[in-house]
Amino acid sequence: MPTPLAREFRDQIGDIRAALLALPSACANGRRRRGGWTGREILGHLLDSASNNRHRFVLATINGSYAGPKYSQDDWVSVHGYASQPWETLLGWWQAEHEILTALVEAIPEERLRASCTIGDDEPVTLAFLIEDYIAHQRHHLAQLVAASQPIPS
């Protein structure tokens, strides 16, 4: 039986998915600031975050704790070449990755949500915190994508 956190995770991911699918494709190329990521690159960053966090969630669940590195987000976005991927492809990848991640979160036993997780030289947090923070991170970048779909004020 999924934990309350897992049910909330599923609901939040569903809301984010609906918002992403409602975005106009114009946000794919939009930037809110000079030198910032395009919409494609932001969505790609969300894919990288899902991949890195899936690894963290799995190891914390298996081992009862997690300690691992941060990741170089600009390098990940660049190496993957998200800027040249079709928007619809990135949306499909996001959906697939989050179906996997949602199933994983639903399989985490309640007692493992207290597992200690250390990322880089940050202070340890619980696995539950990482899961909650993951949703906040997705929402933060969703707001950027929404902004990227709007014309830049003159």
Side-chain angles (χ1 to χ4, degrees), residues 56-121:
R56 294 166 181 161
F57 296 175
V58 166
L59 291 177
T61 301
I62 291 170
N63 299 326
S65 65
Y66 171 80
K70 293 183 179 183
Y71 72 100
S72 177
Q73 60 189 25
D74 289 327
D75 291 334
W76 277 64
V77 167
S78 175
V79 167
H80 280 101
Y82 295 126
S84 63
Q85 293 294 333
W87 179 249
E88 293 74 20
T89 298
L90 293 170
L91 283 173
W93 290 349
W94 187 95
Q95 290 179 84
E97 187 67 47
H98 285 84
E99 288 173 16
I100 296 166
L101 201 55
T102 298
L104 167 61
V105 171
E106 289 178 343
I108 298 172
E110 180 116 26
E111 65 275 6
R112 285 299 198 205
L113 293 173
R114 294 184 294 281
S116 178
C117 299
T118 305
I119 300 169
D121 57 1

Side-chain angles (χ1 to χ4, degrees), residues 13 16 46 49 94 98 134-142:
I13 290 296
I16 294 166
L46 294 179
S49 179
W94 187 95
H98 285 84
Y134 180 81
I135 292 294
H137 180 250
Q138 291 282 311
R139 289 206 171 276
H140 166 75
H141 287 297
L142 173 61

